[in-house]
Amino acid sequence: MRLRIVEDGVRTTVEQAIHKSLTACLQCSKCGGGCAHTEEFDLTPRQVVESLLDCQDDKVLNSRTIWLCGKNCTGCQAVCPVGLPLNEINAVLREEALARGIEPKYQQPSLVYHKFEHCAKHRGEGEASESIFRGEA
Amino acid sequence: MSKKTLVIGGGIAGITAAQKIAQNGGEVILIEKEAELGGNFAKLAFTFPVLGDAKALVAKEIDAVKSAAGVEILTYTTLQSCQGSAGDFTVELKSASGTRSENVAAIIVAAGFHYMEPTAYTEYSYGRSKNVVTSLEFEKMAAENRLPQGKARVVFVHCVGSRDKAKGYRYCSKICCSYSAKHAIMMKKANPQSLNYVFYIDIRALGKGYEEFIRSAMEEYNVRYIRGRVAKVIENEGKLIVRAEDSLIGNPVEVEADLVVLASAMEPPEGSRELAQVLGIATDEYGFFQETEANVRPVNSSKPGIFLAGSCTQPMEIAASVAMGGLAASEALTLIK
Ligand SMILES: Cc1cc2nc3c(=O)[nH]c(=O)nc-3n(C[C@H](O)[C@H](O)[C@H](O)COP(=O)(O)OP(=O)(O)OC[C@H]3O[C@@H](n4cnc5c(N)ncnc54)[C@H](O)[C@@H]3O)c2cc1C
Ligand code: SF4
Ligand code: SF4
Ligand code: SF4
């Protein structure tokens, strides 16, 4: 499918929220290489950034990735050469998706994001799984 | 008034500058802080883009400068102070035997580069695993015949410390794409059973024959190039697991390796800002020596009479260092006429 590139979209909201321009991205893909959740993603973190840059809003807001990205995870931000906060970007996108009535997409209701959001009991577990990245780093 | 030129740094840029001044009848004092001439060139095993014997090439140039009439070489020597102006500088040189004062007409700074220790890159297990080395260590391993034997997998990692605002430098080190290809080729030649991988962001290999050289790594030496910056290297029971994203297919990938080679950044020489202060010349935001104008005055420092040559101005290859050495020599010669 050929995508039509446009200039207006949710990108602006994201950039305002993180106080950074997405143009800082070096297109290196280091973020996706080490992410503990990347195997469940449908878009790699780098593809989220790329799609945002060309304002492919529907594609990003309907992706599974934005729901699976760990809420407090800083795994990729810590190694990103320009420190782009993917977790914050995806948090903004989740809010935006909800505001547009898009249903959350995660395969099992017990995945990390869900644990964080809905179940205090699992919060510790969720955090432990987030720290795998940092632990190995 | 003196007709001498002081050259600071005995790498290939300083050696070339000294040779050219001597060939044109000038006198040179060449100071080197270490025991030997040759600088980083002398630490290499081979050169790109044609695999030349680095040790033999640099030895020939060292011999030539040592036997040149009018060149005095002082090792273990540094510059203490510098007064005066173009055509008439008074410099104080410090060596093991004490200090001595000299009058020189011109000064050429050829202090070279320092190779970054990538200790900040804990995600690559550098410093923790003995099988994660820098490219400069790889040159040494190659020269000493210590490259992995048998069906070994070797992974070369681009842009470690370069193009990294967060933990290294914003700039590109210019030649690591080329020397990583050289290393993969060297590896395959030394051990035809080896399997070689290069992880890159984009390939920057600009120069005569460079593109062909990189292509030959892929096509003739079967080096697999994967587009994606390595995210982490984990050591597991003596093996290394290299993780990245193959960005051309948008999928995480993993390679088990026996050796990981990090192409670290070329950074300003140690003490470059102090040396600049002694000389009264400018450095750039990183500490490389700053030229007055990059296009047509690449060897002119911010002070008349003081010239710059080689990788103390920016990361560069041998050929560019030689070219700058020659140009700096001709600028210095204008002051001793
Ligand atoms: C891993 C690796 C592989 C490489 N492979 C290639 C290749 O295949 N082909 C290629 O063209 N290039 C290659 N290079 C680059 C090459 O090493 C440089 O281009 C070259 O060494 C630059 O020469 P230079 O004289 O500018 O600096 P240097 O070689 O760094 O020499 C500088 C000299 O100045 C001395 N010095 C520093 N400060 C002072 C001071 N204050 N007082 C007195 N002396 C001082 C130093 O001790 C040193 O001897 C490679 C580099 C690396 C790191
Ligand atoms: S690691 Fe950072 S710079 Fe690299 S692709 Fe990901 S967001 Fe962009
Ligand atoms: S923030 Fe964490 S979960 Fe989200 S993309 Fe980065 S590493 Fe993966
Ligand atoms: S020359 Fe290549 S490996 Fe080195 S910093 Fe530039 S792009 Fe990265």
Side-chain angles (χ1 to χ4, degrees):
Chain A
M1 184 186 63
R2 194 186 298 274
L3 300 173
R4 196 185 172 85
I5 293 172
V6 289
E7 295 81 18
D8 298 307
V10 70
R11 168 186 172 180
T12 324
T13 319
V14 170
E15 289 180 331
Q16 275 165 3
I18 65 167
H19 306 293
K20 264 191 182 152
S21 170
L22 296 178
T23 55
C25 174
L26 291 180
Q27 317 183 329
C28 73
S29 295
K30 193 178 182 183
C31 41
C35 169
H37 303 296
T38 187
E39 284 174 39
E40 304 151 61
F41 287 172
D42 49 357
L43 293 180
T44 69
R46 164 68 201 137
Q47 286 171 339
V48 169
V49 175
E50 184 74 3
S51 309
L52 282 174
L53 282 167
D54 289 333
C55 302
Q56 306 301 315
D57 291 5
D58 288 342
K59 184 173 165 188
V60 203
L61 294 172
N62 285 300
S63 78
R64 228 173 33 233
T65 298
I66 62 170
W67 303 99
L68 295 174
C69 172
K71 190 175 176 221
N72 293 323
C73 176
T74 53
C76 60
Q77 189 183 353
V79 298
C80 168
V82 294
L84 276 186
L86 259 307
N87 64 333
E88 287 173 38
I89 293 171
N90 284 318
V92 176
L93 294 171
R94 287 195 289 267
E95 267 175 48
E96 187 65 27
L98 288 175
R100 295 189 191 185
I102 298 170
E103 283 287 307
K105 289 180 189 57
Y106 29 81
Q107 287 166 319
Q108 309 151 26
S110 65
L111 283 170
V112 179
Y113 167 65
H114 188 80
K115 280 179 193 165
F116 272 120
E117 288 297 272
H118 306 288
C119 179
K121 201 176 105 210
H122 283 116
R123 202 157 283 166
E125 241 172 82
E127 271 156 17
S129 97
E130 297 307 306
S131 62
I132 292 174
F133 198 118
R134 271 164 285 163
E136 285 174 353
Chain B
M1 218 159 52
S2 168
K3 287 202 179 298
K4 286 184 184 173
T5 299
L6 173 70
V7 177
I8 304 170
I12 193 61
I15 290 174
T16 305
Q19 282 179 6
K20 297 299 150 197
I21 293 170
Q23 282 165 7
N24 285 283
E27 281 179 76
V28 178
I29 304 173
L30 173 59
I31 63 167
E32 166 56 54
K33 70 174 165 64
E34 304 292 338
E36 304 285 343
L37 298 183
N40 283 294
F41 191 172
K43 297 179 189 161
L44 308 180
F46 291 98
T47 56
F48 62 70
V50 177
L51 289 193
D53 178 344
K55 306 267 186 258
L57 284 168
V58 77
K60 196 166 159 240
E61 299 309 312
I62 293 173
D63 285 348
V65 78
K66 280 185 175 167
S67 56
V71 180
E72 184 183 7
I73 297 168
L74 304 172
T75 53
Y76 289 126
T77 304
T78 52
L79 176 73
Q80 278 299 97
S81 68
C82 172
Q83 251 86 48
S85 56
D88 185 17
F89 290 106
T90 304
V91 294
E92 213 175 22
L93 309 176
K94 188 177 166 237
S95 51
S97 55
T99 55
R100 91 180 213 209
S101 192
E102 283 282 342
N103 188 250
V104 297
I107 299 173
I108 295 174
V109 185
F113 68 95
H114 180 257
Y115 203 55
M116 188 180 117
E117 270 292 301
T119 42
Y121 290 83
T122 49
E123 69 264 37
Y124 293 158
S125 293
Y126 182 76
R128 248 183 308 159
S129 169
K130 64 172 180 19
N131 295 322
V132 180
V133 302
T134 65
S135 299
L136 200 53
E137 288 163 338
F138 183 88
E139 294 275 354
K140 194 157 186 273
M141 289 169 74
E144 295 170 358
N145 288 318
R146 289 190 287 110
L147 296 180
Q149 305 280 309
K151 219 169 165 332
R153 248 196 231 109
V154 183
V155 170
F156 298 90
V157 181
H158 277 191
C159 305
V160 180
S162 307
R163 309 178 71 188
D164 187 341
K165 201 159 87 176
K167 281 201 281 200
Y169 300 99
R170 253 174 58 213
Y171 58 79
C172 158
S173 285
K174 190 187 173 192
I175 61 165
C176 11
C177 283
S178 302
Y179 69 61
S180 293
K182 173 185 79 174
H183 289 166
I185 292 174
M186 281 161 61
M187 188 63 227
K188 192 71 182 176
K189 285 189 131 186
N191 172 3
Q193 276 184 290
S194 65
L195 300 159
N196 299 287
Y197 289 79
V198 174
F199 283 87
Y200 68 100
I201 306 180
D202 36 45
I203 298 170
R204 298 180 173 177
L206 305 180
K208 182 173 173 170
Y210 285 33
E211 170 68 10
E212 296 90 325
F213 185 66
I214 304 272
R215 291 308 314 172
S216 80
M218 299 181 198
E219 295 173 30
E220 285 163 44
Y221 296 92
N222 206 20
V223 181
R224 169 79 178 123
Y225 272 70
I226 298 179
R227 191 193 176 285
R229 191 175 204 152
V230 169
K232 62 166 95 171
V233 178
I234 306 158
E235 189 164 39
N236 188 17
E237 289 169 4
K239 284 277 183 184
L240 298 163
I241 314 282
V242 180
R243 290 199 178 143
E245 176 182 318
D246 181 335
S247 68
L248 297 178
I249 47 178
N251 217 73
V253 293
E254 189 170 275
V255 185
E256 199 181 77
D258 302 277
L259 180 70
V260 170
V261 185
L262 308 179
S264 191
M266 287 168 79
E267 55 186 12
E270 281 173 316
S272 65
R273 289 193 169 92
E274 291 76 7
L275 179 58
Q277 204 168 11
V278 168
L279 291 164
I281 60 174
T283 51
D284 65 16
E285 60 180 298
Y286 308 108
F288 286 112
F289 294 95
Q290 179 72 50
E291 66 281 351
T292 40
E293 205 286 320
N295 297 291
V296 290
R297 296 281 177 270
V299 302
N300 295 65
S301 78
S302 58
K303 191 169 184 170
I306 302 184
F307 307 104
L308 312 172
S311 57
C312 63
T313 58
Q314 58 178 295
M316 64 173 69
E317 68 281 14
I318 295 162
S321 307
V322 167
M324 273 187 98
L327 184 54
S330 75
E331 289 284 1
L333 284 164
T334 63
L335 289 168
I336 63 165
K337 287 278 150 64

